[in-house]
Structures are given as structure tokens and as C-alpha cells.
Amino acid sequence: MENKAGTDVVNEDWDTLVVLDACRYDMFESTSQLDGELSSRISKGSATTEWLQANFDKRDLRDTVYVTANPQLEENRDRWDIQLHETINVWLDEGWDDETGTVRAETMTEAALEAAERFPHKRLVVHYMQPHYPFVPAETDFDKEHLQQIDGEGGGPSEENVWNQKFNGTLDVSREKLWEVYTANLEYVLEHVEELLADVSGRTVVTADHGNYVGERASPIPIREWGHPRGLYDDPVVRVPWLVSETGDRHLVVGSSADDTTRDVQKDVVAERLRDLGYRS
């Protein structure tokens, strides 16, 4: 399933595409201090899997390197026809932060800059996990109450993320408080995106794979929604930022006949990471 009205990001003009996971346009517009020309676009999906499939599946992207904090491509690689020059799964091994149950934004910026140096003649997609739950900078009692021990070491979010808890009526926290911590997660990632923009040349676009309901009524059934259910395409979940920043020279992008050299990933690791990120198992 995909939103047919959405933007085909692959066919847009960019050298580096920065993807903020679950970033609403209105929140970005009121929060971002990044330099560039800001407009909004409509996403092809209300969830990462929809966005990835609509933009990556059955496409020749051998001129593109995908640097990602989100395991969803590996979760679906067997079902999709993916042709990338290389996939860099930052969420594996040392890129994963057990304490927060996610990939930290500073880790992603470091990985993206390393990729830009390694692949100067490729388009680069840099997929940050924030502002998607877990809320890295949050100091909230309700978030701490839902931490669990992972392998006996450190904390990590429970399988039921705050959006699911709020939808199910098991979390007694106001919309205003959730908006506050969600915005703080965006502010956190934007600090590190700004560092990336300062060090990469060419035409960089900052966008999102999808947005997120924060208590708005959905259509066609007017119930209050939280999170980003698949198949619902209201503005809160599909209207995303499109900020264009240009510095230095454009890239000379060349294709490749080589297959994606990404190493095989164990499915149990993918499943564990997705649970920590609050995706339903």
C-alpha cells in the first residue's frame, strides 16, 4: 500500500537526502533553525515500510548509498527487489545504543560523514531515527515507568511505545506533554543534522519518511489517533518537510553495475531492534 499522491523522492534533485523518521511538517516548521529553503511535500507512506517500498522497491538505485538507523529495509529485503550501491546499517553492532534503545543522532552524523568521504560520487540517503520514539533527551516519569531491562544491562523501551499506550488508553499523559517530548526529540536530532549540513557539499534535502498523529482525528473514521498507522494519509502523517540547502560544488554522481555488498543480517537481531524502537512485534 502507498499514498499515490506522494512525492517520488528518488526522482527529485539532490546529492544528499536526509530523512528524519516520523517528522511532521508543522513541528519542523516551528522548530527548525536550519538554513535553507523550506516547503512541504506529501509522503508516499504513513509508515517507514510504505515509504521505503514506494521509493526503493524495483528501482535501479546503484548510484545511491543508504545510511540508516532504521532496520525496516532489512526486515523486508527478502520481499522487495532492492538495488542500492551499498546499505550501511548503523543500527548493527556498535552503532546501537542499549541505554536509549535506538541509534543516537550523533552516531548517525558520524556515519554519514564517513560515507560521504568513502563514496564521493554517489547519492547519499541518511535516515536518522529521530524524532521517532524512543525520546532520547526526555526526562519523564511516564517514559521511565515503561523501561525494561535488556539482557540484564541498561534500559530500553517496552514493546508498547507511548503512542500505542496512549491510543489504548493505558497512558495517562496529556497531549501537551507528549508534544513537548516529541519536539525535544526533534530539537535533539536537528542539532546533529546541522553538523552534517555544515560538512557535506552539494544539494542537500532534509525531509521525512512520514509524520505522526498526536491526538488528531483520523479519516474516514473520526477517532483520535496516535502514532503513524499504515494506510491512513491525513496531513499529520503524510505532510513532511522539504528543506533544500546548497553548499559548495555539486556531486558528479556515477552509477555502478556492482551488487549491494551489504552483509547478511540475522533476523532475530532485526526483530530485537524493531521491538526496542517501539514497533509492534
Side-chain angles (χ1 to χ4, degrees):
M1 183 180 294
E2 71 175 80
N3 181 18
K4 299 295 186 182
T7 297
D8 185 342
V9 298
V10 170
N11 286 335
E12 295 291 324
D13 183 20
W14 47 265
D15 299 308
T16 302
L17 185 73
V18 175
V19 181
L20 304 177
D21 207 300
C23 182
R24 297 167 54 126
Y25 172 73
D26 56 354
M27 180 177 288
F28 185 94
E29 182 186 33
S30 63
T31 303
S32 172
Q33 300 295 318
L34 299 178
D35 291 333
E37 183 178 342
L38 176 62
S39 60
S40 69
R41 294 291 179 90
I42 300 300
S43 174
K44 281 185 170 291
S46 59
T48 303
T49 49
E50 289 185 350
W51 183 86
L52 282 171
Q53 184 172 18
N55 288 290
F56 284 21
D57 188 23
K58 299 181 177 64
R59 308 289 289 271
D60 186 350
L61 302 178
R62 289 173 293 177
D63 64 351
T64 303
V65 173
Y66 181 46
V67 186
T68 183
N70 193 315
Q72 290 288 9
L73 187 143
E74 295 304 331
E75 170 74 358
N76 294 278
R77 188 179 282 273
D78 292 343
R79 300 192 299 112
W80 298 341
D81 179 13
I82 301 297
Q83 295 187 69
L84 290 157
H85 179 73
E86 186 161 332
T87 305
I88 300 174
N89 289 314
V90 185
W91 49 270
L92 275 175
D93 304 328
E94 66 274 6
W96 184 257
D97 182 42
D98 285 329
E99 182 179 355
T100 56
T102 190
V103 177
R104 299 184 68 94
E106 53 267 42
T107 304
M108 277 299 298
T109 295
E110 181 180 351
L113 291 174
E114 290 175 358
E117 185 174 348
R118 285 179 58 201
F119 304 103
H121 300 301
K122 299 296 180 187
R123 299 176 101 193
L124 201 65
V125 178
V126 183
H127 191 153
Y128 288 83
M129 201 62 232
Q130 292 81 28
H132 191 286
Y133 177 87
F135 304 128
V136 173
E139 292 291 339
T140 57
D141 291 337
F142 73 82
D143 214 24
K144 291 177 182 177
E145 288 174 2
H146 296 282
L147 295 179
Q148 64 178 5
Q149 295 300 107
I150 299 178
D151 295 330
E153 298 180 5
S158 65
E159 291 183 18
E160 283 294 318
N161 67 49
V162 296
W163 307 117
N164 296 336
Q165 295 166 33
K166 188 66 177 174
F167 181 80
N168 293 330
T170 59
L171 182 64
D172 184 19
V173 175
S174 70
R175 180 187 189 276
E176 290 72 24
K177 185 60 178 179
L178 285 171
W179 186 268
E180 178 186 327
V181 295
Y182 184 20
T183 302
N185 220 29
L186 175 58
E187 292 171 341
Y188 158 68
V189 69
L190 288 177
E191 291 181 12
H192 299 284
V193 171
E194 186 174 21
E195 294 177 15
L196 177 63
L197 295 184
D199 288 332
V200 295
S201 63
R203 183 181 178 92
T204 300
V205 170
V206 181
T207 187
D209 51 353
H210 55 82
N212 203 92
Y213 289 107
V214 187
E216 294 85 2
R217 294 195 181 276
S219 61
I221 302 174
I223 60 173
R224 291 200 181 278
E225 278 287 0
W226 306 85
H228 52 93
R230 299 178 193 179
L232 296 181
Y233 302 131
D234 298 310
D235 258 24
V237 282
V238 295
R239 186 167 297 279
V240 295
W242 191 265
L243 182 135
V244 180
S245 172
E246 298 199 53
T247 56
D249 297 330
R250 296 294 303 270
H251 295 187
L252 174 62
V253 176
V254 296
S256 172
S257 59
D259 293 331
D260 190 339
T261 57
T262 306
R263 65 187 176 95
D264 291 336
V265 179
Q266 294 181 347
K267 290 297 184 183
D268 59 340
V269 177
V270 177
E272 179 182 345
R273 295 290 190 260
L274 289 172
R275 284 194 300 270
D276 291 344
L277 291 168
Y279 291 101
R280 294 172 187 254
S281 57

